[in-house]
Amino acid sequence: MIRAGIIGGAGYTAGELLRLLLGHPHAEIAFVQSTSQAGLPVAEVHENLVGDTSLCFTDCADLESVDVLFLCMGHGRSRAFWEANEMPRGLRVIDLAQDFRDETCGYVYGLPEWQRERIRQARLVANPGCFATAIQLALLPLAAGRQLQSEVHITAITGSTGAGVKPGATTHFSWRTDNLSVYKPFEHQHLLEIGRNLGLLQGTQPTINFVPLRGDFARGILASVYTRTELHEDEARAIFCDFYHEASFTVVSQKPINLKQVVNTNKALLSVEVHRGYLHVVSCIDNLLKGASGQAVQNMNLLFGLDESCGLRLKGSGF
């Protein structure tokens, strides 16, 4: 069994990670650290786990006792954690924050559809951001085929869980419900990893215009991505199908897609169409699963030589 530890266990991504690991046939949870909830039963904070675990949060972490460590803290805190703690030799680490997504300090960027073999050989993995996952999956086949020759335009909408568990003015129910709003247009932090990776893959830096929106639902991301193309629709779809033919969770649909098809799953669905010289790709993921904790478990499976989909065959509700 893979012994797993979690640092920063009180948030949404940690809650989903706990749910997945508790049902994983080859993993067991050694500890769940949370300074704010230390001493409390995990199921008192993550109420969906009532009856599933008797674990309690701890304020300390025995890093020598685990095979893999998941860092589920806020952005910027992972580097501080390693400044204050010594990393045991041989420990595998999966960081869900943005601290090492530039692949510094020996981390490998953990998008399996792009870097599966590198992840298998890695010890340290930087889990991608949620918007970054949805958008890169829509663009990776084009970058790999040197097809991003014009500006890319993206509008993407995310659920309220993307803002984290800490309450804020724009996550309050009375503000969020029946409402839409734009935030961080053209300057969202995930543009850094998106631009870096697509530039590495294509060899030239694409121009990416990204407008994120807050949705009035809890979970999921739908990204609408378009750019000029000289490809015919069947050619474009063939490029995507070829690129993802070995992907465990990324599926190119022959029909229009919607968010409910992926919520509560680790799937990414893509639709590919060409309209009047524009290639239009729609990408849907669950921001907490394929956009965070599900992808983290997918990376754990790769690190330990397991089937990539182990513990992740989750069925969406669909209605």
Side-chain angles (χ1 to χ4, degrees), residues 16-21 24 27 70 94 96 127 249 266 289 292-303 306-312:
E16 285 293 83
L17 183 58
L18 282 161
R19 179 172 71 91
L20 295 174
L21 291 176
H24 197 288
F70 294 90
I94 300 172
L96 280 77
N127 220 56
F249 295 104
N266 198 53
L289 289 171
S293 303
Q295 189 147 254
V297 172
Q298 189 177 353
N299 281 319
M300 181 192 78
N301 289 339
L302 290 170
L303 288 178
L306 301 174
D307 185 286
E308 196 171 335
S309 63
C310 188
L312 290 171

Side-chain angles (χ1 to χ4, degrees), residues 174-195:
S174 60
W175 188 92
R176 193 97 179 201
T177 190
D178 298 324
N179 199 7
L180 283 174
S181 63
V182 171
Y183 74 110
K184 299 181 180 177
F186 303 100
E187 58 183 30
H188 193 279
Q189 64 271 17
H190 288 181
L191 278 170
L192 293 174
E193 59 192 275
I194 295 168

Side-chain angles (χ1 to χ4, degrees), residues 90-222:
L91 177 67
R92 292 173 171 87
V93 179
I94 300 172
D95 183 14
L96 280 77
Q98 66 184 19
D99 298 37
F100 302 105
R101 290 176 187 162
D102 58 358
E103 296 200 326
T104 54
C105 301
Y107 280 78
V108 169
Y109 189 78
L111 188 59
E113 288 79 0
W114 176 38
Q115 304 217 97
R116 182 175 289 104
E117 295 309 316
R118 287 191 68 208
I119 296 166
R120 283 190 172 120
Q121 303 302 317
R123 190 168 66 85
L124 310 175
V125 173
N127 220 56
C130 52
F131 270 134
T133 295
I135 291 168
Q136 286 177 104
L137 291 176
L139 294 173
L140 283 176
L142 300 175
R146 309 294 195 269
Q147 293 290 333
L148 293 178
Q149 301 302 322
S150 299
E151 289 190 18
V152 179
H153 301 276
I154 304 162
T155 302
I157 184 168
T158 185
S160 59
T161 52
V165 71
K166 188 175 181 180
T170 59
T171 60
H172 196 283
F173 177 81
S174 60
W175 188 92
R176 193 97 179 201
T177 190
D178 298 324
N179 199 7
L180 283 174
S181 63
V182 171
Y183 74 110
K184 299 181 180 177
F186 303 100
E187 58 183 30
H188 193 279
Q189 64 271 17
H190 288 181
L191 278 170
L192 293 174
E193 59 192 275
I194 295 168
R196 172 190 174 275
N197 296 335
L198 294 177
L200 286 173
L201 192 56
Q202 178 161 272
T204 58
Q205 193 69 41
T207 299
I208 301 172
N209 303 303
F210 174 33
V211 178
L213 290 86
R214 303 180 183 94
D216 66 341
F217 50 90
R219 56 196 297 165
I221 287 175
L222 186 147

